[in-house]
Amino acid sequence: MSRIRLVLFDAFDTLITPRLPIHVQYAQEAHKHGFSESVITPATVRSAFKPAFRKTTELFPEWGRHAEPKMSPSEWWMMCIEETMRMAGAEQSKLEEVMPRLGKALLDRFESAEGYRAFDDVVPCCESPQRAWIPYGKLTMNVVTQLKQAGVKTGLVSNADDRILKTLDALGITPLLSHGTTISQIAGYEKPDSRIFEAACRTAGIESEVTEGATDKHDENGEEHRQFQGVLMVGDEVEADYHGAVSAGLEARLIRRPGDFSDGAKRVSEEEERETLHRDGVHVIRSLKEVMNEVKHRNGL
Protein backbone atom coordinates (compact mmCIF):
# COMPACT_ATOMS: atom_id res chain seq x y z
CA MET A 1 0.00 0.00 0.00
CA SER A 2 1.16 3.56 -0.71
CA ARG A 3 2.53 5.83 2.01
CA ILE A 4 -0.04 8.07 3.67
CA ARG A 5 0.24 11.71 2.66
CA LEU A 6 -2.98 13.18 4.02
CA VAL A 7 -5.46 12.22 6.75
CA LEU A 8 -8.90 13.86 6.68
CA PHE A 9 -11.14 13.74 9.73
CA ASP A 10 -14.88 14.06 10.21
CA ALA A 11 -15.83 16.35 13.12
CA PHE A 12 -18.85 15.17 15.10
CA ASP A 13 -18.39 11.84 16.90
CA THR A 14 -14.91 11.56 15.35
CA LEU A 15 -12.97 14.48 16.83
CA ILE A 16 -15.59 16.11 19.06
CA THR A 17 -18.77 15.14 20.89
CA PRO A 18 -21.31 16.96 23.11
CA ARG A 19 -20.33 17.16 26.77
CA LEU A 20 -23.92 16.28 27.58
CA PRO A 21 -26.64 15.12 25.17
CA ILE A 22 -27.85 18.08 23.13
CA HIS A 23 -31.44 17.76 24.36
CA VAL A 24 -30.19 17.90 27.96
CA GLN A 25 -28.23 21.08 27.25
CA TYR A 26 -31.21 22.69 25.51
CA ALA A 27 -33.43 21.90 28.51
CA GLN A 28 -30.84 23.28 30.92
CA GLU A 29 -30.71 26.62 29.10
CA ALA A 30 -34.51 26.74 28.87
CA HIS A 31 -34.77 26.34 32.64
CA LYS A 32 -32.19 29.11 33.19
CA HIS A 33 -34.44 31.38 31.13
CA GLY A 34 -37.57 30.73 33.13
CA PHE A 35 -39.28 27.75 31.48
CA SER A 36 -40.82 25.23 33.83
CA GLU A 37 -38.88 22.02 34.36
CA SER A 38 -42.20 20.17 34.24
CA VAL A 39 -42.94 21.47 30.73
CA ILE A 40 -39.57 21.72 28.99
CA THR A 41 -37.78 18.49 29.79
CA PRO A 42 -34.90 16.65 28.11
CA ALA A 43 -37.51 14.18 26.81
CA THR A 44 -39.77 16.83 25.26
CA VAL A 45 -36.77 18.59 23.69
CA ARG A 46 -35.46 15.32 22.33
CA SER A 47 -38.78 14.51 20.67
CA ALA A 48 -38.98 18.03 19.22
CA PHE A 49 -35.44 18.63 17.97
CA LYS A 50 -35.34 16.39 14.91
CA PRO A 51 -38.77 17.49 13.56
CA ALA A 52 -37.81 21.13 14.16
CA PHE A 53 -34.45 20.66 12.44
CA ARG A 54 -36.13 18.92 9.51
CA LYS A 55 -38.78 21.66 9.19
CA THR A 56 -36.20 24.45 9.26
CA THR A 57 -34.05 22.60 6.71
CA GLU A 58 -37.01 22.13 4.36
CA LEU A 59 -37.88 25.82 4.58
CA PHE A 60 -34.30 27.07 4.34
CA PRO A 61 -31.88 24.42 2.97
CA GLU A 62 -28.14 24.60 3.61
CA TRP A 63 -28.51 26.80 6.67
CA GLY A 64 -30.31 29.49 4.68
CA ARG A 65 -27.57 29.82 2.09
CA HIS A 66 -30.06 30.32 -0.75
CA ALA A 67 -32.72 32.22 1.22
CA GLU A 68 -33.86 35.63 0.06
CA PRO A 69 -32.55 37.61 1.77
CA LYS A 70 -29.63 35.31 2.57
CA MET A 71 -29.55 34.04 6.16
CA SER A 72 -26.52 33.53 8.36
CA PRO A 73 -26.11 30.16 10.09
CA SER A 74 -26.78 31.91 13.41
CA GLU A 75 -30.10 33.25 12.12
CA TRP A 76 -30.94 29.76 10.84
CA TRP A 77 -30.20 28.20 14.21
CA MET A 78 -32.25 30.82 16.05
CA MET A 79 -35.24 29.72 13.96
CA CYS A 80 -34.49 26.05 14.63
CA ILE A 81 -34.11 26.63 18.38
CA GLU A 82 -37.38 28.58 18.53
CA GLU A 83 -39.23 25.83 16.64
CA THR A 84 -37.70 23.19 18.90
CA MET A 85 -38.88 24.97 22.03
CA ARG A 86 -42.32 25.53 20.56
CA MET A 87 -42.67 21.84 19.68
CA ALA A 88 -41.35 20.92 23.13
CA GLY A 89 -44.24 22.77 24.77
CA ALA A 90 -43.02 26.32 25.37
CA GLU A 91 -45.82 28.86 25.77
CA GLN A 92 -45.76 31.24 22.78
CA SER A 93 -45.79 34.61 24.59
CA LYS A 94 -43.05 33.47 26.97
CA LEU A 95 -41.02 32.11 24.04
CA GLU A 96 -41.24 35.41 22.16
CA GLU A 97 -40.09 37.25 25.27
CA VAL A 98 -37.01 35.17 26.06
CA MET A 99 -36.02 33.81 22.64
CA PRO A 100 -33.38 36.48 21.86
CA ARG A 101 -31.57 35.67 25.12
CA LEU A 102 -32.20 31.92 25.08
CA GLY A 103 -31.16 31.56 21.46
CA LYS A 104 -27.92 33.48 22.01
CA ALA A 105 -27.12 31.44 25.12
CA LEU A 106 -27.44 28.18 23.16
CA LEU A 107 -25.46 29.51 20.21
CA ASP A 108 -22.66 30.62 22.53
CA ARG A 109 -22.73 27.33 24.42
CA PHE A 110 -22.28 25.19 21.32
CA GLU A 111 -19.53 27.40 19.94
CA SER A 112 -17.46 26.78 23.06
CA ALA A 113 -15.90 24.11 25.25
CA GLU A 114 -19.01 24.26 27.41
CA GLY A 115 -21.12 22.50 24.80
CA TYR A 116 -18.55 20.18 23.20
CA ARG A 117 -15.40 18.33 24.16
CA ALA A 118 -12.66 16.68 22.15
CA PHE A 119 -12.17 12.94 22.49
CA ASP A 120 -9.24 11.91 24.63
CA ASP A 121 -7.21 10.70 21.64
CA VAL A 122 -7.51 14.09 19.90
CA VAL A 123 -6.68 16.80 22.41
CA PRO A 124 -6.73 15.26 25.90
CA CYS A 125 -8.02 17.70 28.50
CA CYS A 126 -7.52 18.10 32.22
CA GLU A 127 -9.60 20.10 34.63
CA SER A 128 -8.18 22.75 36.91
CA PRO A 129 -9.69 23.52 40.32
CA GLN A 130 -11.37 26.53 38.69
CA ARG A 131 -13.05 24.21 36.14
CA ALA A 132 -11.14 25.79 33.27
CA TRP A 133 -10.60 23.32 30.46
CA ILE A 134 -6.96 23.34 29.40
CA PRO A 135 -5.81 21.71 26.14
CA TYR A 136 -3.61 18.88 27.32
CA GLY A 137 -2.07 18.88 23.86
CA LYS A 138 0.12 21.73 25.16
CA LEU A 139 1.58 19.33 27.70
CA THR A 140 1.86 16.10 25.78
CA MET A 141 1.80 15.09 22.14
CA ASN A 142 -1.58 14.11 20.64
CA VAL A 143 -2.28 11.99 17.57
CA VAL A 144 -2.90 14.89 15.19
CA THR A 145 0.38 16.53 16.21
CA GLN A 146 2.17 13.22 15.76
CA LEU A 147 0.85 13.04 12.20
CA LYS A 148 2.16 16.54 11.52
CA GLN A 149 5.59 15.67 12.89
CA ALA A 150 5.57 12.55 10.71
CA GLY A 151 5.19 14.77 7.66
CA VAL A 152 1.54 13.80 7.08
CA LYS A 153 -0.91 16.52 6.13
CA THR A 154 -4.18 16.76 8.07
CA GLY A 155 -7.55 18.36 7.41
CA LEU A 156 -11.23 18.18 8.30
CA VAL A 157 -14.34 17.48 6.21
CA SER A 158 -17.67 18.15 7.93
CA ASN A 159 -21.34 18.47 7.05
CA ALA A 160 -21.80 21.57 9.14
CA ASP A 161 -22.17 25.33 9.06
CA ASP A 162 -19.30 27.69 9.74
CA ARG A 163 -20.14 28.00 13.45
CA ILE A 164 -18.21 24.76 13.92
CA LEU A 165 -15.03 26.74 13.25
CA LYS A 166 -15.53 28.60 16.55
CA THR A 167 -16.05 25.28 18.34
CA LEU A 168 -12.85 23.83 16.89
CA ASP A 169 -10.97 26.98 17.88
CA ALA A 170 -12.33 26.81 21.43
CA LEU A 171 -11.21 23.19 21.78
CA GLY A 172 -7.73 23.85 20.46
CA ILE A 173 -8.19 21.65 17.39
CA THR A 174 -7.85 24.19 14.58
CA PRO A 175 -4.09 24.79 15.04
CA LEU A 176 -3.51 21.04 14.88
CA LEU A 177 -4.90 20.76 11.33
CA SER A 178 -2.17 21.58 8.83
CA HIS A 179 -4.55 22.07 5.90
CA GLY A 180 -7.66 23.50 7.49
CA THR A 181 -11.32 22.66 7.21
CA THR A 182 -13.74 21.91 4.39
CA ILE A 183 -17.27 22.72 5.55
CA SER A 184 -20.36 21.77 3.55
CA GLN A 185 -22.08 25.12 4.08
CA ILE A 186 -19.09 26.88 2.52
CA ALA A 187 -18.17 24.26 -0.07
CA GLY A 188 -21.74 23.87 -1.30
CA TYR A 189 -21.61 20.06 -1.18
CA GLU A 190 -22.39 17.58 1.57
CA LYS A 191 -20.83 14.19 2.24
CA PRO A 192 -21.18 11.65 0.64
CA ASP A 193 -20.89 13.89 -2.46
CA SER A 194 -17.47 13.19 -3.96
CA ARG A 195 -16.88 16.86 -4.64
CA ILE A 196 -16.46 17.79 -0.99
CA PHE A 197 -13.72 15.16 -0.58
CA GLU A 198 -12.07 16.30 -3.79
CA ALA A 199 -12.11 19.90 -2.54
CA ALA A 200 -10.43 18.88 0.73
CA CYS A 201 -7.72 16.96 -1.12
CA ARG A 202 -7.00 19.85 -3.46
CA THR A 203 -6.82 22.25 -0.53
CA ALA A 204 -3.97 20.05 0.70
CA GLY A 205 -2.33 20.13 -2.73
CA ILE A 206 -3.18 16.56 -3.68
CA GLU A 207 -4.70 15.75 -7.08
CA SER A 208 -6.27 12.50 -8.21
CA GLU A 209 -4.51 10.14 -10.60
CA VAL A 210 -5.23 6.99 -12.55
CA THR A 211 -4.23 3.95 -10.52
CA GLU A 212 -1.34 2.13 -12.13
CA GLY A 213 -1.91 -1.55 -12.80
CA ALA A 214 -5.69 -1.33 -12.47
CA THR A 215 -7.39 -3.95 -14.63
CA ASP A 216 -10.41 -1.72 -15.25
CA LYS A 217 -9.40 1.90 -15.65
CA HIS A 218 -12.81 3.16 -16.79
CA ASP A 219 -16.23 3.25 -15.18
CA GLU A 220 -19.58 2.53 -16.85
CA ASN A 221 -19.62 6.04 -18.32
CA GLY A 222 -16.24 5.54 -19.94
CA GLU A 223 -14.49 7.89 -17.53
CA GLU A 224 -11.16 6.97 -15.98
CA HIS A 225 -11.13 5.58 -12.45
CA ARG A 226 -9.09 8.07 -10.47
CA GLN A 227 -7.70 7.76 -6.96
CA PHE A 228 -6.31 10.18 -4.42
CA GLN A 229 -3.27 8.11 -3.58
CA GLY A 230 -2.21 8.05 0.06
CA VAL A 231 -5.28 9.91 1.36
CA LEU A 232 -7.17 8.49 4.33
CA MET A 233 -10.62 9.64 5.52
CA VAL A 234 -11.58 8.89 9.14
CA GLY A 235 -15.20 9.24 10.23
CA ASP A 236 -18.06 7.60 12.12
CA GLU A 237 -20.84 7.47 9.52
CA VAL A 238 -20.89 4.58 7.06
CA GLU A 239 -22.49 6.29 4.08
CA ALA A 240 -21.31 9.87 4.48
CA ASP A 241 -17.76 9.26 5.66
CA TYR A 242 -16.76 5.75 4.62
CA HIS A 243 -18.57 4.95 1.37
CA GLY A 244 -18.53 8.60 0.33
CA ALA A 245 -14.76 8.75 0.65
CA VAL A 246 -14.20 5.43 -1.11
CA SER A 247 -16.44 6.51 -4.01
CA ALA A 248 -14.36 9.68 -4.30
CA GLY A 249 -11.17 7.64 -4.65
CA LEU A 250 -9.87 7.88 -1.08
CA GLU A 251 -9.15 5.19 1.45
CA ALA A 252 -11.39 5.22 4.53
CA ARG A 253 -11.49 4.08 8.14
CA LEU A 254 -14.70 3.87 10.14
CA ILE A 255 -14.15 4.80 13.77
CA ARG A 256 -16.18 2.95 16.40
CA ARG A 257 -15.17 4.00 19.88
CA PRO A 258 -16.69 2.06 22.78
CA GLY A 259 -19.84 3.63 24.20
CA ASP A 260 -22.77 5.62 22.92
CA PHE A 261 -22.83 8.04 20.02
CA SER A 262 -24.56 11.41 20.11
CA ASP A 263 -28.12 12.09 19.01
CA GLY A 264 -28.29 13.02 15.36
CA ALA A 265 -25.49 10.73 14.22
CA LYS A 266 -26.63 8.92 11.10
CA ARG A 267 -25.82 5.43 12.27
CA VAL A 268 -27.18 2.57 14.29
CA SER A 269 -25.50 0.64 17.09
CA GLU A 270 -22.45 -1.45 16.30
CA GLU A 271 -24.33 -4.61 17.23
CA GLU A 272 -26.98 -3.87 14.61
CA GLU A 273 -24.50 -3.12 11.86
CA ARG A 274 -21.69 -5.58 12.60
CA GLU A 275 -22.78 -8.13 10.00
CA THR A 276 -23.22 -5.46 7.33
CA LEU A 277 -19.81 -3.93 8.02
CA HIS A 278 -18.15 -7.34 7.81
CA ARG A 279 -19.98 -8.22 4.57
CA ASP A 280 -19.01 -4.93 2.94
CA GLY A 281 -15.38 -5.19 4.04
CA VAL A 282 -15.51 -1.93 5.99
CA HIS A 283 -12.24 -1.24 7.81
CA VAL A 284 -13.17 -0.40 11.43
CA ILE A 285 -10.84 1.21 13.98
CA ARG A 286 -11.39 1.79 17.72
CA SER A 287 -9.17 4.81 18.27
CA LEU A 288 -7.28 7.48 16.37
CA LYS A 289 -4.13 5.88 17.74
CA GLU A 290 -4.69 3.13 15.16
CA VAL A 291 -4.35 5.77 12.44
CA MET A 292 -0.95 6.77 13.77
CA ASN A 293 0.12 3.13 13.95
CA GLU A 294 -0.89 2.63 10.33
CA VAL A 295 1.01 5.74 9.27
CA LYS A 296 4.15 4.50 11.03
CA HIS A 297 3.85 1.11 9.33
CA ARG A 298 3.11 2.35 5.83
CA ASN A 299 5.50 5.30 5.93
CA GLY A 300 8.37 3.28 7.39
CA LEU A 301 8.67 5.35 10.56
Side-chain angles (χ1 to χ4, degrees), residues 37-189:
E37 294 185 20
S38 63
V39 176
I40 303 297
T41 69
T44 61
V45 173
R46 186 176 189 178
S47 65
F49 181 79
K50 287 184 180 179
F53 186 95
R54 186 164 52 248
K55 179 178 179 179
T56 310
T57 300
E58 290 173 353
L59 289 173
F60 304 102
E62 297 182 36
W63 294 280
R65 178 177 179 176
H66 304 295
E68 291 293 342
K70 185 177 180 180
M71 299 169 64
S72 69
S74 293
E75 291 170 328
W76 189 97
W77 275 106
M78 288 288 279
M79 294 184 65
C80 185
I81 292 167
E82 183 172 1
E83 188 63 26
T84 297
M85 292 299 170
R86 183 180 295 110
M87 290 184 174
E91 194 271 323
Q92 183 63 32
S93 60
K94 175 71 174 177
L95 185 59
E96 291 176 357
E97 175 190 346
V98 305
M99 187 57 212
R101 300 190 301 278
L102 172 58
K104 184 179 186 305
L106 281 168
L107 290 177
D108 290 345
R109 182 166 183 161
F110 286 103
E111 290 174 357
S112 73
E114 182 183 5
Y116 284 99
R117 67 176 179 87
F119 285 105
D120 290 344
D121 55 0
V122 181
V123 186
C125 290
C126 62
E127 189 177 15
S128 74
Q130 292 76 32
R131 298 188 64 81
W133 290 89
I134 303 170
Y136 193 63
K138 295 179 180 178
L139 306 177
T140 188
M141 193 180 299
N142 54 70
V143 170
V144 185
T145 300
Q146 289 181 56
L147 290 171
K148 182 178 180 180
Q149 294 198 354
V152 176
K153 300 175 180 180
T154 55
L156 180 139
V157 184
S158 178
N159 287 349
D161 62 86
D162 60 10
R163 292 176 55 250
I164 194 179
L165 302 178
K166 296 180 180 179
T167 308
L168 296 172
D169 285 344
L171 295 174
I173 293 175
T174 303
L176 305 179
L177 301 169
S178 65
H179 284 74
T181 57
T182 304
I183 306 299
S184 63
Q185 180 238 334
I186 299 173
Y189 314 113

